[in-house]
Amino acid sequence: MSHAQIRSLEDAGRATAVWSSDVYDTRPRFAEVAMALLPASLILAAAAALLVALL
């Protein structure tokens, strides 16, 4: 749950808190996920290369 979703639920009040999915963007963000995984994959590749160099 994002900060915007939490904030909207808190602002709605306890009696009228309703989950409205049409307000939030639910499109998948594959490019953003791939860009987030890129540094991790580079670190893993470097670690694997160092392990192979030790052999």
Side-chain angles (χ1 to χ4, degrees):
M1 185 178 281
S2 69
H3 292 287
Q5 293 169 334
I6 294 170
R7 191 177 317 117
S8 68
L9 287 175
E10 288 175 349
D11 291 343
R14 298 188 192 279
T16 59
V18 176
W19 183 267
S20 176
S21 61
D22 61 337
V23 176
Y24 305 107
D25 185 18
T26 58
R27 290 181 291 135
R29 301 182 187 276
F30 297 114
E32 292 176 5
V33 172
M35 290 302 294
L37 291 177
L38 183 64
S41 62
L42 292 176
I43 291 169
L44 287 175
L50 288 173
L51 285 174
V52 169
L54 287 174
L55 296 176

